[in-house]
């Protein structure tokens, strides 16, 4: 059914005048550059404007938010479904935070807790300071609730936190989209963009409007039986994921710098942990923590986050920073923008719909016109693999969500408030409470430092096979502080790494084919539909 529907979009060189043409200049109809321009801007809108990074550290430079936005954009180019997964997890975490505070509304001092407040706290908008941690560290909404509930801090004045702050649209986005609007945008978008500055939420609406306008124009081409290019289908595939991502991030504020709150009466963080050990977390080890001293109140570490963190750490060790900036301080001085948080199970059908819609869309050009038959078969193979990977990754995602949900449900049922950093069966680590040195970013020294050392009596053999086993074992955990929660199982890591590498190559080759196929297209590809009211047709 899917393949037959793709034939509705006329894609062979025999359509209309029966000719295939190369580069077409712009005229009263659209040209090759018009197709490239409109598709590129649509993808740009999806991957740049729709991204919303977390606030940086108090010590960050002025350009660091720009770098964080570039990293999220690169994730979106790799796959908008990844960006959607990050946004969905953050929305789910905000949803859990809303329910938590509304359940204990007596803690709020009359404040109405909102999704915006939840996003603000969970993204690292509040840093906690104490005499033993004067520089502070970010806390989550769950940790804020715990601190207020146990009288370690006063409930903060959320209105004074400038949660309603909105960054004006960045210069690059405004420049590119304004030029695009003058050439190829919808009239409504053009009218909206003349306002300055545009608040963050309104700009999201502009983005959604523009991608919807692009979609309507493409649907009109299908209705008129005009040929469509693969790059237009690629741009359309970004639309659904972008709309879903924008919905998840709609209430997320754009904050540049975090706000700080202090512990009540100068209470030490050590004393807070000691009280937690006595009252709520009996298995808490006072001197052991990894990301922040409030790690013991955190239920958001799960398999997908561990896996993503592993690959991000590899890019840090290789000094190839494409998805995030490394955090080189202990405690953490910010929450990374690419942090994957577990979604609520109730949202999994929505996630599956977006995920499959994006990947299935690449099967639509199954019978499209390609310059050569080999390119057509290559597209078919790559799109099929992308769908297979999507199903494989989706099953893995659902399994990890169920594991996380089962653990949380068990803890609530048994009333067990355990320390998530205390992983049974693992060796206790050295306290992590100082900044990392430069040597931690060196790949060789990192693995020399973390490789397990066995006594000579147990090793038995110092041959090459023991060294190989030792080297392989060192790849299980490459986190800078050897956080046991970040340890990967090799039987899961190896096949998923191979599949992920093939997926990246498949995605890159699809992008290359999008561009290469424009060198020869049916002539009716360049016939325009009504630009201003596409749903009315050309009469």
């Amino acid at each position: 059914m899917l393949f037959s529907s793709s034939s509705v979009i006329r894609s062979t060189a025999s359509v209309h005048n029966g000719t295939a043409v190369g580069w077409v200049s712009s005229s009263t109809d659209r040209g090759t550059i018009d197709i490239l321009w409109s598709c590129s801007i649509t993808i740009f809108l999806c991957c740049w404007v729709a991204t919303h990074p977390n606030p940086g550290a108090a010590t960050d430079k002025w350009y660091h938010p720009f770098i964080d936005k570039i990293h999220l954009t690169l994730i979106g180019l790799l796959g908008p479904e990844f960006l959607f997964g990050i946004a969905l997890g953050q929305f789910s975490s905000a949803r859990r935070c809303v329910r938590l505070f509304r359940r204990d509304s007596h803690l709020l001092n009359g404040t109405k807790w909102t999704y915006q407040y939840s996003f603000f706290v969970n993204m690292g908008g509040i840093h906690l300071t104490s005499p033993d941690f004067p520089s502070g560290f970010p806390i989550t909404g769950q940790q804020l609730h715990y601190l207020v509930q146990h009288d370690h801090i006063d409930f903060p004045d959320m209105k004074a936190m400038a949660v309603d702050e909105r960054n004006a649209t960045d210069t690059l986005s405004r420049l590119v989209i304004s030029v695009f609007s003058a050439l190829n945008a919808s009239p409504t978008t053009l009218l909206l963009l003349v306002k300055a500055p545009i608040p963050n939420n309104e700009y999201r609406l502009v983005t959604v409007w523009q991608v919807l306008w692009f979609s309507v124009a493409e649907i009109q081409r299908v209705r008129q039986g005009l040929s469509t290019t693969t790059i237009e289908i690629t741009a359309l595939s970004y639309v659904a994921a972008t709309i879903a991502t924008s919905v998840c991030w709609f209430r997320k504020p754009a904050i540049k710098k975090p706000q700080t709150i202090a512990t009540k009466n100068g209470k030490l963080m050590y004393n807070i942990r000691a009280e937690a050990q006595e009252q709520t977390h009996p298995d808490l080890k006072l001197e052991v923590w990894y990301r922040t001293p409030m790690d013991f109140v955190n239920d958001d570490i799960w398999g997908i986050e561990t896996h993503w963190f592993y690959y991000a750490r590899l890019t840090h060790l290789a000094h190839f920073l494409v998805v995030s900036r490394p955090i080189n301080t202990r405690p953490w001085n910010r929450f990374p923008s690419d942090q994957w948080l577990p979604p609520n199970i109730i949202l999994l059908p929505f996630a599956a719909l977006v995920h499959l819609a994006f990947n299935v869309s690449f099967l639509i050009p199954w019978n499209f016109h390609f310059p050569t038959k080999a390119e057509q078969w290559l597209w078919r193979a790559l799109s099929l693999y992308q769908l297979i990977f999507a199903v494989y990754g989706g099953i893995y995602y659902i399994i990890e969500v169920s594991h996380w949900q089962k653990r949380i449900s068990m803890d609530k049922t048994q009333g067990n408030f355990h320390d998530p950093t205390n992983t049974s069966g693992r060796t206790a680590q050295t306290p992590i409470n100082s900044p990392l040195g430069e040597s931690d970013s060196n790949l060789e020294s990192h693995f020399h430092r973390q490789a397990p050392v066995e006594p000579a009596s147990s090793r038995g053999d110092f041959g090459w096979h023991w060294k190989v086993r030792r080297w392989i074992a060192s790849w299980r955990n490459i986190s800078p502080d050897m956080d046991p929660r970040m340890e990967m199982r090799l039987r899961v890591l190896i096949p998923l790494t191979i599949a992920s590498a093939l997926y990246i190559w498949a995605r890159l080759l699809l992008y290359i084919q999008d561009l290469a196929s424009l060198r020869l297209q049916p002539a009716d590809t360049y016939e325009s539909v009504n630009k201003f009211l596409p749903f009315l047709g050309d009469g």
Side-chain angles (χ1 to χ4, degrees):
M1 183 69 181
L2 176 64
F3 299 149
S4 62
S5 65
S6 68
S7 63
V8 175
I9 307 176
R10 305 293 181 84
S11 54
T12 63
S14 60
V15 182
H16 286 258
N17 56 13
T19 60
V21 295
W23 182 274
V24 175
S25 300
S26 300
S27 60
T28 54
D29 286 325
R30 64 179 189 167
T32 306
I33 192 64
D34 298 317
I35 296 175
L36 281 172
W37 185 249
S38 61
C39 293
S40 298
I41 292 300
T42 299
I43 294 175
F44 173 83
L45 283 167
C46 296
C47 296
W48 179 271
V49 182
T51 59
H52 303 284
N54 292 341
T59 56
D60 276 356
K61 304 296 184 182
W62 63 269
Y63 53 83
H64 282 136
F66 183 76
I67 293 176
D68 291 338
K69 197 170 182 68
I70 290 177
H71 286 151
L72 285 180
T73 300
L74 291 175
I75 293 173
L77 287 174
L78 176 63
E81 73 268 40
F82 296 134
L83 203 60
F84 167 71
I86 293 173
L88 181 68
Q90 293 181 6
F91 171 77
S92 297
S93 181
R95 185 171 181 267
R96 292 189 292 269
C97 187
V98 167
R99 297 180 66 180
L100 184 64
F101 275 101
R102 290 182 178 177
R103 184 196 68 190
D104 297 330
S105 58
H106 62 281
L107 302 174
L108 303 180
N109 293 336
T111 301
K112 182 181 179 181
W113 193 264
T114 64
Y115 273 90
Q116 192 177 57
Y117 290 158
S118 294
F119 271 115
F120 173 73
V121 180
N122 286 336
M123 66 195 288
I126 295 180
H127 283 207
L128 177 68
T129 62
S130 65
D132 47 348
F133 290 93
S135 297
F137 53 86
I139 57 175
T140 66
Q142 185 181 5
Q143 292 165 355
L144 175 66
H145 176 272
Y146 179 91
L147 291 167
V148 174
Q149 184 181 41
H150 292 85
D151 202 32
H152 298 310
I153 63 172
D154 293 319
F155 183 79
D157 184 354
M158 298 306 295
K159 292 183 179 179
M161 290 284 178
V163 180
D164 291 329
E165 174 189 344
R166 290 289 185 271
N167 295 334
T169 306
D170 61 90
T171 304
L172 179 59
S173 299
R174 177 174 292 280
L175 176 63
V176 174
I177 300 170
S178 296
V179 173
F180 171 70
S181 300
L183 297 177
N184 201 31
S186 68
T188 305
T189 304
L190 185 57
L191 290 174
L192 287 172
L193 285 170
V194 298
K195 297 168 58 181
I198 298 178
N200 206 37
N201 267 347
E202 289 187 33
Y203 206 80
R204 297 174 195 177
L205 292 176
V206 172
T207 301
V208 172
W209 173 264
Q210 185 57 50
V211 297
L212 284 175
W213 183 273
F214 178 87
S215 303
V216 170
E218 294 304 317
I219 293 172
Q220 178 69 355
R221 295 190 64 80
V222 176
R223 194 179 74 84
Q224 294 185 8
L226 299 176
S227 299
T228 302
T229 61
T230 59
I231 193 173
E232 291 173 284
I233 298 299
T234 298
L236 281 172
S237 70
Y238 275 76
V239 168
T242 296
I243 294 174
T245 301
S246 297
V247 168
C248 292
W249 269 339
F250 188 75
R251 293 298 179 186
K252 184 177 181 180
I255 305 298
K256 294 180 181 179
K257 295 289 184 179
Q259 304 289 333
T260 60
I261 58 175
T263 56
K264 183 179 290 189
N265 300 323
K267 181 177 288 187
L268 297 175
M269 192 65 232
Y270 180 88
N271 292 336
I272 294 177
R273 290 175 61 85
E275 290 183 24
Q277 185 186 55
E278 294 177 0
Q279 301 172 10
T280 59
H281 295 74
D283 62 342
L284 175 63
K285 296 182 179 180
L286 293 181
E287 300 294 340
V288 179
W289 52 270
Y290 298 94
R291 295 181 173 181
T292 76
M294 287 298 300
D295 273 352
F296 65 93
V297 185
N298 187 7
D299 291 330
D300 287 340
I301 301 297
W302 65 308
I304 301 299
E305 161 69 6
T306 300
H307 211 118
W308 182 268
F309 181 89
Y310 187 95
Y311 289 137
R313 178 62 180 164
L314 283 178
T315 65
H316 300 162
L317 293 172
H319 301 285
F320 185 57
L321 307 182
V322 291
V323 295
S324 65
R325 291 184 290 136
I327 300 178
N328 293 323
T329 62
R330 293 297 177 271
W332 278 12
N333 57 7
R334 60 183 173 86
F335 289 142
S337 298
D338 63 328
Q339 191 173 15
W340 285 70
L341 302 176
N344 295 332
I345 287 184
I346 195 173
L347 296 176
L348 285 182
F350 173 57
L353 177 64
V354 174
H355 185 61
L356 289 177
F358 173 77
N359 288 281
V360 168
S361 65
F362 287 89
L363 296 179
I364 294 176
W366 190 269
N367 291 320
F368 272 28
H369 174 269
F370 288 84
T372 65
K373 200 68 176 177
E375 289 175 77
Q376 184 182 52
W377 280 106
L378 179 60
W379 181 279
R380 292 175 176 178
L382 295 174
S383 58
L384 273 178
Y385 177 77
Q386 184 168 277
L387 180 59
I388 293 171
F389 178 85
V391 174
Y392 171 60
I395 293 174
Y396 175 59
Y397 186 87
I398 292 173
I399 290 174
E400 291 299 335
V401 171
S402 63
H403 287 168
W404 173 80
Q405 187 64 49
K406 182 178 180 181
R407 173 171 59 83
I408 298 303
S409 299
M410 185 178 299
D411 290 344
K412 289 181 178 180
T413 301
Q414 299 176 355
N416 176 29
F417 298 95
H418 71 285
D419 175 17
T421 65
N422 184 8
T423 308
S424 60
R426 307 258 175 84
T427 304
Q429 305 295 318
T430 304
I432 306 296
N433 53 13
S434 61
L436 297 178
E438 288 297 324
S439 61
D440 286 283
S441 64
N442 181 274
L443 184 64
E444 183 178 359
S445 65
H446 174 84
F447 286 119
H448 277 299
R449 174 174 58 82
Q450 74 162 22
V453 178
E454 303 176 25
S457 58
S458 65
R459 290 199 297 260
D461 186 3
F462 294 92
W464 64 268
H465 55 286
W466 177 83
K467 294 180 180 179
V468 170
R469 289 200 304 269
R470 180 173 178 267
W471 180 78
I472 292 176
S474 71
W475 287 89
R476 296 177 186 271
N477 191 337
I478 59 174
S479 59
D481 47 19
M482 295 304 295
D483 186 343
R485 299 169 298 175
M486 295 294 106
E487 183 173 312
M488 291 293 303
R489 292 170 295 173
L490 293 181
R491 65 178 180 272
V492 175
L493 177 65
I494 293 174
L496 198 54
T497 299
I498 296 173
S500 300
L502 291 175
Y503 171 84
I504 292 173
W505 277 108
R507 178 59 57 84
L508 291 175
L509 288 174
L510 286 173
Y511 288 149
I512 292 173
Q513 277 203 279
D514 281 337
L515 299 175
S517 63
L518 290 176
R519 73 183 189 273
L520 191 65
Q521 286 292 320
D524 70 313
T525 299
Y526 301 100
E527 293 185 19
S528 297
V529 296
N530 191 316
K531 286 187 175 181
F532 297 101
L533 295 174
F535 47 86
L536 296 181
D538 290 328

